Amino acid sequence: MKVLVTGVAGFLGSHIADRMLAKGHHVVGIDNMIGGDLDNIPKGVEHYQIDCQDLVKPVWAFAMKDVGLVYHCAALAYEGLSVFSPYAVVESIIGASTAVFSAAIGARVRRIVHCSSMARYGATVTPYHEYQVCYPQDPYGIAK
């Protein structure tokens, strides 16, 4: 299967890409390199340096072609700074997610996995679980 991973040069995206490669999938990775590092991208990933919010790039159509699964991991991971520039952080999360989902729907991708953050749980008791009530403490956690 062809798998697209956004935020492939970041912590989570690079690990998911590595796991998908190990399972024998063809992995395409997208990252704008604002917070990622090229050294994080596993060998064998077909990588494109674009911003997820940029739907006008022709690479979207090419990168999404024949993709069966999208892992959306991309986000500005500036949790502590989100109180100082909430618009930039929230827009990068919500705007990028909307663009990725729109491109995936347009390409008839069968499944989208939207990766989140423990920041969405905020000041709650650990261990966190998926059905727990969230109490995010900052704009980053709210956006996630």
Side-chain angles (χ1 to χ4, degrees), residues 101-116:
F101 302 157
S102 297
I105 290 166
R108 300 190 182 277
V109 171
R110 296 182 56 81
R111 179 165 291 175
I112 301 167
V113 176
H114 183 219
C115 299
S116 191

Side-chain angles (χ1 to χ4, degrees), residues 43-111:
K43 293 201 183 321
V45 170
E46 182 183 333
H47 172 246
Y48 297 97
Q49 186 173 337
I50 64 169
D51 193 302
C52 289
Q53 295 182 73
D54 193 352
L55 280 175
V56 299
K57 294 253 185 193
V59 74
W60 266 118
F62 178 75
M64 284 281 186
K65 183 174 174 30
D66 300 325
V67 167
L69 171 62
V70 170
Y71 278 98
H72 178 47
C73 307
L76 283 179
Y78 298 142
E79 183 178 353
L81 296 176
S82 70
V83 295
F84 299 107
S85 26
Y87 179 82
V89 173
V90 171
E91 182 60 27
S92 79
I93 294 168
I94 295 172
S97 297
T98 303
V100 169
F101 302 157
S102 297
I105 290 166
R108 300 190 182 277
V109 171
R110 296 182 56 81
R111 179 165 291 175

Side-chain angles (χ1 to χ4, degrees), residues 5 14 20 24 26 30 36-38 44 53 57 62 67 75 78 89 99 105 107 111 122 131 134 137 139 141:
V5 179
S14 64
M20 292 295 104
H26 174 186
I30 291 175
D37 190 312
L38 285 173
Q53 295 182 73
K57 294 253 185 193
F62 178 75
V67 167
Y78 298 142
V89 173
I105 290 166
R111 179 165 291 175
Y131 302 105
C134 299
Q137 302 295 302

Side-chain angles (χ1 to χ4, degrees), residues 19-48:
R19 182 73 174 144
M20 292 295 104
L21 287 169
K23 288 182 162 277
H25 298 295
H26 174 186
V27 179
V28 176
I30 291 175
D31 203 297
N32 63 9
M33 303 310 295
I34 289 176
D37 190 312
L38 285 173
D39 290 338
N40 291 342
I41 302 172
K43 293 201 183 321
V45 170
E46 182 183 333
H47 172 246
Y48 297 97

